[in-house]
Amino acid sequence: MATTPMDKELDVKGLNCPLPILRAKKALADMASGELLRVVATDPGSVKDFAAFCKQTGNALLSSDDNGKEFSFVISKR
């Protein structure tokens, strides 16, 4: 299975709301339109937080994965 390379990776494991969103917002500010950001978090609330964040900001949430311990999100900058 081919994987798409990420333009930026963000590790926010161990951080709770609102820090994962704030760090992602800062990372996206430095990125160009269409670039991909992968975020890895451990806060269960991040699933709803990132869905709401992307809806509000117009960035596309391309994937959201949960392996039981970590949550992984791929966001495309608008």
Side-chain angles (χ1 to χ4, degrees):
M1 178 176 154
T3 58
T4 304
M6 296 296 121
D7 296 293
K8 191 177 275 192
E9 303 250 351
L10 184 61
D11 181 347
V12 293
K13 293 181 277 197
L15 300 179
N16 293 321
C17 183
L19 291 176
I21 293 294
L22 294 175
R23 299 261 173 103
K25 183 178 179 181
K26 184 176 181 181
L28 286 164
D30 295 333
M31 296 173 68
S33 181
E35 287 188 324
L36 300 178
L37 171 66
R38 180 173 183 261
V39 182
V40 179
T42 52
D43 179 9
S46 64
V47 175
K48 288 184 179 179
D49 292 343
F50 275 101
F53 170 74
C54 287
K55 187 175 183 179
Q56 289 176 345
T57 60
N59 296 301
L61 182 59
L62 301 180
S63 72
S64 176
D65 296 313
D66 170 6
N67 72 6
K69 295 179 184 178
E70 295 179 352
F71 306 91
S72 175
F73 309 94
V74 176
I75 300 169
S76 177
K77 166 93 182 221
R78 66 177 167 96

